Amino acid sequence: MATVKTIAAANAPKAVGPYSQAQKVSGEAETIYVSGQLPIDPATATMAESIEAQTEQSLKNLGAILAEGGFSYDNVVKTTVLLADIKDFAAMNAVYAEFFTGEKPARMCYQVAALPMGAKVEIDCIAAK
């Protein structure tokens, strides 16, 4: 069984949001790499307007895929968040923090020129157990 340890180096900047500097996976691990999830509601094939609702839907989509693979948010060790507008960072962060309430995964977040279908956010992850 793999062990996951949160890495918090005192000689590096602390995380500026709900994530950790890094997650170390040791031992025999089962890993899932989840592709970027747009905020598309699978029941309606539509996207909400607000960054908060879009972030929530992207994370729900990730959760559904994780569950299908036998994983949960608690197994996530790394995420990447793509934003159409970095000004949405704080609003995205507030919703993101509701999904990752235990040990925080490592994370990258940056603004991109555009996202598919005019989305405001896209999120991927790597999970291990």
Side-chain angles (χ1 to χ4, degrees), residues 28-79:
E28 300 271 335
E30 183 177 33
T31 306
I32 186 170
Y33 299 83
V34 181
S35 297
Q37 295 302 300
L38 292 170
I40 299 169
D41 182 327
T44 64
T46 62
M47 285 190 284
E49 288 295 317
S50 74
I51 186 62
E52 294 88 353
Q54 286 199 13
T55 300
E56 179 178 1
Q57 187 62 59
S58 288
L59 289 166
K60 284 181 177 178
N61 294 345
L62 274 179
I65 294 165
L66 289 166
E68 182 68 23
F71 291 80
S72 72
Y73 296 111
D74 291 338
N75 301 122
V76 175
V77 295
K78 172 78 167 70
T79 65

Side-chain angles (χ1 to χ4, degrees), residues 51-129:
I51 186 62
E52 294 88 353
Q54 286 199 13
T55 300
E56 179 178 1
Q57 187 62 59
S58 288
L59 289 166
K60 284 181 177 178
N61 294 345
L62 274 179
I65 294 165
L66 289 166
E68 182 68 23
F71 291 80
S72 72
Y73 296 111
D74 291 338
N75 301 122
V76 175
V77 295
K78 172 78 167 70
T79 65
T80 303
V81 178
L82 306 177
L83 293 172
D85 188 343
I86 200 68
K87 292 177 185 168
D88 288 333
F89 181 81
M92 175 281 299
N93 227 17
V95 175
Y96 181 98
E98 295 174 12
F99 285 80
F100 297 102
T101 58
E103 294 292 326
K104 310 297 187 239
R107 185 180 81 186
M108 279 186 72
C109 180
Y110 50 95
Q111 177 177 312
V112 295
L115 290 168
M117 302 174 63
K120 295 179 180 184
V121 64
E122 182 175 2
I123 306 171
D124 76 0
C125 75
I126 300 169
K129 62 178 183 172

